[in-house]
Amino acid sequence: MTARPIAVVGASAAGLAAAEALRRFGWRGPLTLIGDEPHLPYDRPPLSKQLLHGAWEPEKLLLRTADQLAPLDLDLRLGTRATGLDVATRTLTLDGGVGVPPHEQDREGETLGCAGVIIATGVAARSLPGAEGIAGVHTLRTLDDALTLRGLLANGGAPGSGGVAAGGGGRRVVIVGNGVLGCEAAAVARELGHEVTLVGIAETPMAEAVGAEVGALLAEEHRARGVQLRTGEVDGFETTPADPAGTGRGQVTAVRLANGGTPASEGVAAGGGCGTLLPADLVLLAIGSRPAVEWLADPALDTTDGLRCDAYCAAAPGIYAAGDVARWDHPQHGRPLRFEHRMNATEQGMAAARNLLAELAAEAPAAAVGDATPAQERRPFAPVPYFWSDQYDLKIQAYGLTAGADRVEATVLDRAQRRAVALYGRDGSAVGVLAVGLPPRLLRALRAVVATPLAWDEARERVRAALASGRDTP
C-alpha cells in the first residue's frame, strides 16, 4: 500500500520552508507541494521594491531553482488550487494543474488523502467595489501583478525641479492605501519619475503599523520627494467610454474621493464637499489583504481572520498552518496573532513541520518508522516578530508588535536624515521597538529589549542606554 503523503498547500516562502524542514527533520514519505501560481516559490517583499523598480529580474526572486528543489523529491503541483479539505480524513480536493498527470488535467475535484497537511496559502489582495474590469486599476500581490505594473511604470520621466515629473513624461499614478505596500510603491513610482498621489483613510501614512509620530516623519520624506498626500475614502472611478468590443469598462481617468477628500495635514476639505477627482492614468489599490481561507469550509476549522491555530500552529489534528494565513496563540503575548511578514513565514513554516512530525510520530510510532526519524516533542511557536520596509534611502525595521499598541514613545534622532526610534507598549509592558535609519549593531540591542516581556519603564531605560551606547561607539 502506498504511503499517504504530507501535503503543503501554498508554494510560498512559508510552504517551501515547511517542505524543506519536513525533509530535514526526517520525513522520508511522499511529499506534495501545491501552489496556485505557475511559478516556482519566490520571494514576495521585492515585488514592491527591487522588481517593481526594475533593478531585479524575476529570476532573482526565486527562493530555489528547479535543480535545488530536486533533492527534496517533491510531487510539485504548480498552477493547482486546493478547493476543499475534509479535516476528519485529512483529504484535500484539488483542481488539477502543472505537475498533475496529463490524463488528470481536466478532472475536477481530484482528491488527495494525506497523512498530514500544512496550509500556507497566504493572503489575497483586497479590491474596491466597481474596480474589476477597469483598465489601469491594479492590485499588487503576485509576481504577475508586479511585472504588469513594472511594464506600465517603465516609461516615467526624470524628476524635475521641485520634485514634480518633468516634461509630462511620467504617468499620473494614484495609489489608494497609505500602509506599508502603498508607501513602498509610491516611493518606487516617484523615483521612476511619475506624478504620484498617495491616498489613505488615515491622515498619517503607515500610522497603524508605526504610530503617528514615526508616520509623520515618513510623510515628510514622501512630500520632500514630491508625493502628494491626500486623506479620504474612494467613492469610485472615472473612465473612458467602455470598449465597444466588450473587453472591459474603459480606461481609468480619475479616482473620485467621497466628500471632497482632505489634503493630508491641512484639515480643509477640497472641492467644496461635492467630491474631488484625482486625475489618474494608473491606479494601484493597496488597501490591505484577506487571508486565503475561502476554500476551507469544514466547520471543524475556525477561519475568522485567518486559520485559527493553537500555540503549536495546529488548526486540527494533523492540520497545521504557517505564514500570513495562520492566526495562532502566541505564548508570550497571550492572544491570537497573525503576521504578514516574511521572516515569520519562514520561521513558522519550520515550526509547523516540526510539530506535525512530532504529532504523527505520537499517533502511530510503529507505522512512522519507515517515513520519519523520531521527532522531538511539539514546541510552542514563540517568535520575536520582525518586519522591514525600504522607502527611498530609508530602511525601517521593527521587532515585536507595533500595531495595536496603547502607548508609543518615539524619539526623532535626526529629522533631516529621518533617523528615529520608537518603543511600543501594551498593558504596561513593552511589546515592540522600531528604528528608522539605524545601524545593525543598534538594532540587535533594541531587539533584546522586546525579546521577552519587560515592564514599560525598564524597557524605556534600556532603549535610552542602547542609544547612548551607540552614540559613544565609533
Side-chain angles (χ1 to χ4, degrees):
M1 180 177 178
T2 304
R4 286 158 65 98
I6 290 179
V8 179
V9 185
S12 56
L16 176 63
E20 292 183 328
L22 286 166
R23 290 302 192 210
R24 187 165 60 252
F25 295 146
W27 176 256
R28 297 190 294 273
L31 180 55
T32 301
L33 180 60
I34 301 160
D36 61 355
E37 295 184 58
H39 310 292
L40 292 173
Y42 61 86
D43 212 11
R44 291 191 189 275
L47 294 180
S48 58
K49 307 177 186 72
Q50 295 93 336
L51 186 101
L52 188 63
H53 203 293
W56 288 10
E57 292 304 316
E59 293 75 19
K60 194 166 183 178
L61 273 64
L62 288 180
L63 295 171
R64 300 291 184 272
T65 65
D67 289 343
Q68 290 169 332
L69 289 175
L72 296 178
D73 191 23
L74 296 173
D75 173 15
L76 183 60
R77 304 198 182 195
L78 300 177
T80 299
R81 288 189 309 114
T83 57
L85 171 63
D86 183 277
V87 171
T89 63
R90 303 177 192 176
T91 299
L92 288 164
T93 302
L94 309 176
D95 72 350
V98 180
V100 177
H103 67 279
E104 296 181 358
Q105 287 283 344
D106 296 327
R107 288 175 54 187
E108 294 185 2
E110 179 203 358
T111 58
L112 181 66
C114 303
V117 178
I118 296 177
I119 296 168
T121 46
V123 296
R126 294 187 184 276
S127 187
L128 286 174
E132 186 177 356
I134 300 179
V137 178
H138 301 266
T139 56
L140 176 52
R141 174 61 189 171
T142 68
L143 175 59
D144 292 339
D145 292 339
L147 290 174
T148 297
L149 281 168
R150 184 170 81 164
L152 295 170
L153 293 173
N155 66 342
S161 60
V164 180
R171 291 175 178 266
R172 299 169 299 177
V173 178
V174 175
I175 298 174
V176 181
N178 60 1
V180 177
L181 176 61
C183 287
E184 289 180 348
V188 169
R190 191 68 202 100
E191 287 179 331
L192 291 174
H194 300 284
E195 299 180 14
V196 179
T197 302
L198 182 61
V199 181
I201 295 177
E203 179 179 340
T204 305
M206 290 180 56
E208 183 177 348
V210 303
E213 192 165 350
V214 174
L217 188 69
L218 300 177
E220 291 177 14
E221 181 67 12
H222 280 284
R223 288 195 187 93
R225 299 279 186 157
V227 175
Q228 302 296 312
L229 303 182
R230 298 297 297 262
T231 303
E233 185 174 354
V234 173
D235 189 41
F237 305 93
E238 298 293 317
T239 68
T240 59
D243 184 350
T247 57
R249 290 177 14 208
Q251 168 69 38
V252 68
T253 59
V255 174
R256 188 171 60 249
L257 298 185
N259 300 320
T262 304
S265 296
E266 293 181 14
V268 179
C274 298
T276 291
L277 293 180
L278 303 176
D281 305 306
L282 175 64
V283 176
L284 172 61
L285 302 180
I287 55 174
S289 57
R290 52 178 176 77
V293 295
E294 61 278 353
W295 62 283
L296 296 170
D298 193 310
L301 300 175
D302 179 354
T303 57
T304 304
D305 186 30
L307 181 54
R308 184 74 161 83
C309 301
D310 62 16
Y312 304 96
C313 308
I319 311 296
Y320 286 71
D324 297 0
V325 74
R327 185 168 65 92
W328 90 105
D329 292 330
H330 195 293
Q332 289 187 354
H333 293 286
R335 58 192 175 98
L337 299 173
R338 188 173 67 83
F339 296 130
E340 297 182 21
H341 303 318
R342 174 65 175 82
M343 188 67 71
N344 183 74
T346 296
E347 293 177 346
Q348 196 165 24
M350 293 188 290
R354 180 186 60 245
N355 288 338
L356 172 59
L357 289 183
E359 179 183 327
L360 295 180
E363 279 183 349
V369 169
D371 295 328
T373 57
Q376 299 179 2
E377 290 186 359
R378 297 196 309 166
R379 297 204 299 265
F381 180 57
V384 178
Y386 169 76
F387 88 87
W388 79 95
S389 177
D390 296 323
Q391 299 173 34
Y392 309 108
D393 300 325
L394 301 180
K395 192 163 194 76
I396 305 148
Q397 300 179 82
Y399 288 102
L401 308 181
T402 58
D406 58 28
R407 188 173 187 179
V408 180
E409 184 174 292
T411 303
V412 177
L413 304 172
D414 187 327
R415 185 165 295 277
Q417 297 296 319
R418 318 293 189 210
R419 295 174 62 246
V421 65
L423 184 66
Y424 301 81
R426 186 183 176 99
D427 298 330
S429 296
V431 295
V433 64
L434 176 144
V436 183
L438 297 189
R441 172 177 42 78
L442 265 178
L443 284 169
R444 288 191 293 270
L446 293 174
R447 180 189 186 280
V449 174
V450 295
T452 55
L454 203 61
W456 174 263
D457 289 340
E458 184 179 353
R460 183 171 55 182
E461 290 306 314
R462 289 196 183 185
V463 169
R464 290 173 177 171
L467 293 175
S469 174
R471 285 192 293 266
D472 294 340
T473 303

